[in-house]
Amino acid sequence: MKIWEKNIRKVVPYVPGEQPKGEKLIKLNTNENPYPPAPGVQRALQEMDCDAFRKYPDPAATILVEALAREHSVKPEQIFVGVGSDDVLAMAFLTFFNSDKPLLFPDVTYSFYKVWADLFQIPYETPKLDEEFRIRIEDYQRENGGIIFPNPNAPTGLAEPLSFVEEMLKSNPDSIVIVDEAYVDFGGESAIALLEQYENLLVVQTFSKSRSMAGIRIGYAIGSPSLIRALNDVKYSYNSYTMNLPSQILGAEALKDRAYFEASTHKIIQTRERAKLRLKELGFVFPDSSANFIFARHPQVSAEELFLALKEKQIYVRYFKQERLSEYLRITIGTDEEMEQFFAFLEAYLAQK
Amino acid sequence: MKIWEKNIRKVVPYVPGEQPKGEKLIKLNTNENPYPPAPGVQRALQEMDCDAFRKYPDPAATILVEALAREHSVKPEQIFVGVGSDDVLAMAFLTFFNSDKPLLFPDVTYSFYKVWADLFQIPYETPKLDEEFRIRIEDYQRENGGIIFPNPNAPTGLAEPLSFVEEMLKSNPDSIVIVDEAYVDFGGESAIALLEQYENLLVVQTFSKSRSMAGIRIGYAIGSPSLIRALNDVKYSYNSYTMNLPSQILGAEALKDRAYFEASTHKIIQTRERAKLRLKELGFVFPDSSANFIFARHPQVSAEELFLALKEKQIYVRYFKQERLSEYLRITIGTDEEMEQFFAFLEAYLAQK
């Protein structure tokens, strides 16, 4: 080993999920939205003048921040924007979790929490979800250096009611509590309603799921002005100009069309509810999802084998080869046509078992 | 102070530079390119189908990485891309500078180096440039935890020859040496030529200056596959999907038009050389810039007063109120018309002094 190699930061490299390419494939593996962004986004794209690209973008992303403030009926100084909610969450870990006491998050949850905690050398503990994959509030009623959980949780899809989030906050007046609401628009209750009472609450949302804009990378946090100021201070020490001009323009544009947003999330919810009935008929069991995916297992079928059989037919779902999860598949809700093909395959597969 | 506030990371908040808005203003303050991006960029923008936005972008930004590899005649595994060179540099600080020995960079240089060192708690020392604003190589021939310098340097505009960079590398076989080449296309010599011999060299470039795409946020590093792998490992632990789809497409597109790139950088260089003559005639003194700006002072004129007088006429240049720099103005090279107006003002201003 060369001497300079000794100073290289060692991390367990995260391997990004499969992004298969092809015309005919059915992609139900990364919780993307099956519908395009609001029509205004295409229009705004067409009208964009690339001469504006030669200048630095507004570091404060004012047009997007103001549109988000209007959307959520909060003040602009309560909004922090980033390059996807991963950027927002990573920045929040770096900014807020600087305690010797452990950060707490569930054992079964978004896998990146552990990665950021390791990267920034944050001590953490991961209390176990109960048998039904529910968060046990008593595990979070103890000394800690911060709390984060998704609501709805991933990959289970289970949502907790607002009363649960409030109990979490009441039990933890000395900690910053982050609620990661990536999937909230598909049936969860947002903790934004609690922001006025709890200055230590940060709510994180994204354009990647319900807004159909994963490819544009926009995430945001909503919180008290003091939390948002702290996030911005750290962000400006890291990279002042993260959000490029197209993201700012297209993000603000997407927020204008509430009718489209509601119609497309409603369509996904309806497809999901129908999918639940079909899965049940086929003998699958699953937590009752409030997200744009269902986390299901079949008592008579190996999840891994089914995953591989689906993949062979160009139908991609997500399989986690790890403790507590290895009997399950996470199935993103696609269009009705995609789900039809998925179920047609399942029926044939189960019939020959 | 609330208990949770104690765990918030304290940073000296960086305040981003002024981005004045208005039709008539002349913006010579942030080293932006006065010409639009290559015409293909507008075309690619018009042809983009926003349906693709619903999916996550390629985390490896393959189309852009491959285009950059072709552009610089290196292998794709020698290229790391980020959201502007600030993102690339911040990631490089986090990845490579984990020593107890001090990181070394000049006292007069890009102001963000200090900010990142503070953010990541990296010890550093800043050897003084000599009287002529030159880097003294002997200051870097000592034990250190890494070296970084821009070439050409900012805000001086001074370029060092390749032989200087090679001497730096020869003197520091045990350190990672980063050469920040944000301005290299305006007359510097790139250290890319040294990559084959020095595995500890990382060269960083950007689309924000010579490619007229500051608003799109693309920066990149070129180095040995082992350095690039280490950067990617850390990057994937931080945020897998940083580069949005428009950046990947438009960045790759911009690289296709070498003739446009050469013509527009050539135009800026010619304008700069004429500006040097005019400035000299008017009694200004300045280091001989190889960048898209000139760092000039006038022995009889207060830089701060001139800065304010220019600003009043809607002509923006950059003034640094700090040691060694407070007698200077950093003037970005604009179009010939913009420079004409700038000089017309200067002549009138100096005539009445």
Side-chain angles (χ1 to χ4, degrees):
Chain A
M1 183 183 258
K2 307 204 176 68
I3 293 174
W4 50 265
E5 288 184 290
K6 285 189 198 145
N7 295 326
I8 294 181
R9 184 175 291 255
K10 300 294 172 301
V11 293
V12 180
Y14 172 88
V15 182
E18 208 164 7
Q19 285 289 28
K21 276 167 202 153
E23 281 290 300
K24 281 204 209 141
L25 62 86
I26 296 178
K27 198 164 172 304
L28 308 176
N29 69 333
T30 50
N31 296 347
E32 289 150 339
N33 197 309
Y35 303 111
V41 173
Q42 183 72 50
R43 226 166 22 239
L45 192 66
Q46 237 81 53
E47 284 164 13
M48 217 177 282
D49 177 5
C50 88
D51 183 51
F53 295 169
R54 65 183 189 78
K55 288 194 197 161
Y56 282 92
D58 172 13
T62 311
I63 54 164
L64 180 58
V65 164
E66 286 179 352
L68 282 166
R70 278 194 300 275
E71 175 73 12
H72 293 292
S73 306
V74 297
K75 292 184 225 114
E77 53 276 30
Q78 292 186 261
I79 305 271
F80 173 83
V81 293
V83 178
S85 62
D86 280 351
D87 184 38
V88 174
L89 289 166
M91 221 34 99
F93 271 59
L94 186 61
T95 306
F96 299 126
F97 299 145
N98 296 289
S99 169
D100 295 332
K101 296 172 203 154
L103 170 67
L104 301 179
F105 52 84
D107 66 332
V108 171
T109 195
Y110 184 37
S111 57
F112 239 105
Y113 298 162
K114 206 174 273 194
V115 177
W116 290 316
D118 285 335
L119 179 66
F120 299 128
Q121 290 149 11
I122 299 164
Y124 65 93
E125 286 174 26
T126 58
K128 277 201 165 182
L129 296 180
D130 72 13
E131 290 295 299
E132 261 83 55
F133 285 134
R134 289 271 166 199
I135 298 172
R136 299 190 315 176
I137 190 101
E138 57 271 33
D139 293 337
Y140 297 80
Q141 290 166 332
R142 41 166 291 207
E143 237 191 11
N144 62 68
I147 289 170
I148 181 165
F149 61 95
N151 192 32
N153 195 7
T156 65
L158 282 171
E160 297 296 341
L162 210 53
S163 56
F164 173 93
V165 181
E166 182 149 29
E167 201 181 336
M168 191 69 100
L169 286 158
K170 278 203 179 126
S171 311
N172 290 284
D174 296 341
S175 300
I176 288 174
V177 176
I178 301 182
V179 185
D180 179 354
E181 297 189 340
Y183 301 104
V184 75
D185 296 323
F186 301 105
E189 274 183 278
S190 175
I192 293 174
L194 299 171
L195 282 171
E196 274 206 25
Q197 288 156 268
Y198 299 93
E199 222 191 337
N200 55 327
L201 166 65
L202 194 78
V203 177
V204 177
Q205 297 196 356
T206 177
F207 278 53
S208 297
K209 318 292 181 187
S210 55
R211 300 277 175 189
S212 306
M213 286 169 76
I216 293 296
R217 317 305 308 122
I218 303 176
Y220 56 103
I222 314 184
S224 56
S226 70
L227 291 192
I228 298 304
R229 201 176 314 118
L231 271 173
N232 270 319
D233 284 354
V234 171
K235 177 229 148 81
Y236 286 131
S237 305
Y238 180 82
N239 187 353
S240 320
Y241 303 100
T242 50
M243 181 149 287
N244 68 14
L245 187 59
S247 297
Q248 298 188 25
I249 292 174
L250 302 177
E253 187 61 42
L255 292 169
K256 288 183 191 162
D257 198 341
R258 175 167 279 280
Y260 181 85
F261 167 73
E262 281 172 1
S264 64
T265 48
H266 183 65
K267 230 176 344 178
I268 291 166
I269 291 168
Q270 285 188 310
T271 307
R272 179 189 70 208
E273 294 307 310
R274 281 195 294 272
K276 286 180 186 172
L277 296 176
R278 293 288 290 275
L279 285 171
K280 212 167 279 174
E281 282 166 20
L282 293 171
F284 282 88
V285 290
F286 46 88
D288 190 27
S289 170
S290 299
N292 68 339
F293 56 83
I294 299 173
F295 193 57
R297 70 179 173 87
H298 195 291
Q300 278 87 50
V301 172
S302 147
E304 190 170 15
E305 282 176 28
L306 176 52
F307 165 73
L308 292 170
L310 281 161
K311 191 170 165 177
E312 202 156 293
K313 293 287 175 196
Q314 299 259 69
I315 301 173
Y316 288 81
V317 298
R318 189 76 183 267
Y319 175 66
F320 300 92
K321 203 170 187 162
Q322 54 185 263
E323 223 195 312
R324 297 194 75 180
L325 308 184
S326 61
E327 289 178 31
Y328 288 81
L329 295 179
R330 193 194 66 189
I331 305 144
T332 302
I333 303 302
T335 61
D336 285 327
E337 299 68 41
E338 287 172 325
M339 298 311 282
E340 216 36 74
Q341 290 186 55
F342 169 69
F343 281 115
F345 175 87
L346 279 192
E347 277 163 19
Y349 183 84
L350 294 169
Q352 58 157 39
K353 277 277 146 179
Chain B
M1 183 182 256
K2 305 204 177 68
I3 293 174
W4 51 264
E5 287 183 290
K6 286 189 198 145
N7 295 327
I8 293 180
R9 184 174 292 254
K10 301 293 171 300
V11 293
V12 180
Y14 173 87
V15 181
E18 208 164 9
Q19 284 288 28
K21 276 166 201 153
E23 281 290 302
K24 281 203 210 144
L25 62 85
I26 295 178
K27 199 165 172 303
L28 308 176
N29 68 334
T30 49
N31 296 347
E32 288 151 339
N33 197 309
Y35 303 110
V41 173
Q42 184 73 49
R43 224 163 27 237
L45 192 66
Q46 238 82 54
E47 283 165 12
M48 218 178 280
D49 177 4
C50 86
D51 183 52
F53 295 169
R54 64 183 189 79
K55 288 192 197 163
Y56 282 91
D58 172 12
T62 311
I63 54 166
L64 180 58
V65 165
E66 286 179 352
L68 282 166
R70 277 193 300 275
E71 175 73 12
H72 292 292
S73 305
V74 296
K75 292 185 224 116
E77 53 276 30
Q78 292 186 264
I79 306 271
F80 173 83
V81 294
V83 177
S85 62
D86 280 351
D87 184 39
V88 174
L89 290 166
M91 220 36 97
F93 271 59
L94 185 61
T95 305
F96 299 125
F97 299 145
N98 296 289
S99 169
D100 296 331
K101 296 172 203 152
L103 170 66
L104 302 179
F105 52 85
D107 66 332
V108 171
T109 194
Y110 184 37
S111 57
F112 239 106
Y113 298 162
K114 208 174 270 195
V115 178
W116 290 316
D118 285 335
L119 179 67
F120 299 127
Q121 290 148 10
I122 300 165
Y124 65 92
E125 285 174 26
T126 57
K128 277 200 167 186
L129 296 181
D130 73 12
E131 290 296 298
E132 261 84 54
F133 286 135
R134 289 272 166 198
I135 298 173
R136 301 191 313 178
I137 191 101
E138 57 271 33
D139 293 337
Y140 297 80
Q141 291 167 331
R142 41 166 292 208
E143 236 190 13
N144 62 68
I147 288 170
I148 181 164
F149 61 97
N151 191 31
N153 196 7
T156 64
L158 281 172
E160 297 296 341
L162 210 53
S163 56
F164 173 93
V165 181
E166 182 149 28
E167 200 181 338
M168 191 69 99
L169 286 159
K170 277 201 180 128
S171 311
N172 290 283
D174 296 340
S175 300
I176 288 174
V177 176
I178 300 182
V179 185
D180 179 354
E181 297 188 339
Y183 300 103
V184 76
D185 295 323
F186 302 106
E189 273 184 279
S190 176
I192 293 174
L194 300 171
L195 283 171
E196 273 205 27
Q197 288 156 268
Y198 299 94
E199 221 191 337
N200 55 328
L201 165 65
L202 194 77
V203 177
V204 177
Q205 297 196 356
T206 176
F207 279 53
S208 297
K209 317 294 180 187
S210 54
R211 300 274 176 193
S212 306
M213 287 170 78
I216 293 296
R217 317 305 307 120
I218 303 175
Y220 56 102
I222 314 185
S224 56
S226 70
L227 290 192
I228 298 304
R229 202 177 313 118
L231 270 173
N232 270 320
D233 284 354
V234 171
K235 177 231 148 79
Y236 286 132
S237 304
Y238 180 84
N239 187 355
S240 321
Y241 303 100
T242 50
M243 181 150 286
N244 68 14
L245 186 60
S247 298
Q248 297 188 25
I249 292 173
L250 302 177
E253 188 61 43
L255 292 169
K256 288 182 191 163
D257 198 341
R258 174 167 280 281
Y260 180 85
F261 166 73
E262 281 172 1
S264 64
T265 48
H266 183 66
K267 231 178 339 180
I268 291 165
I269 291 168
Q270 285 188 310
T271 307
R272 179 191 69 209
E273 294 308 309
R274 281 194 294 272
K276 286 180 187 171
L277 297 177
R278 292 288 289 276
L279 285 171
K280 212 167 280 174
E281 281 166 20
L282 292 171
F284 283 87
V285 290
F286 46 87
D288 189 28
S289 171
S290 298
N292 68 337
F293 55 83
I294 298 172
F295 193 56
R297 72 180 172 86
H298 194 292
Q300 278 87 50
V301 172
S302 147
E304 190 170 16
E305 282 175 29
L306 177 52
F307 165 73
L308 293 170
L310 281 160
K311 191 170 166 176
E312 201 155 292
K313 293 286 175 197
Q314 299 259 68
I315 301 173
Y316 289 80
V317 298
R318 189 76 183 266
Y319 175 66
F320 301 91
K321 203 170 187 160
Q322 55 188 261
E323 223 195 309
R324 298 194 76 180
L325 309 183
S326 61
E327 288 177 33
Y328 288 82
L329 294 180
R330 193 194 65 189
I331 304 145
T332 302
I333 303 302
T335 61
D336 285 326
E337 298 70 38
E338 287 172 325
M339 298 311 283
E340 217 35 75
Q341 290 186 57
F342 170 69
F343 281 115
F345 175 86
L346 278 192
E347 277 163 19
Y349 184 85
L350 293 170
Q352 58 157 39
K353 276 277 147 182

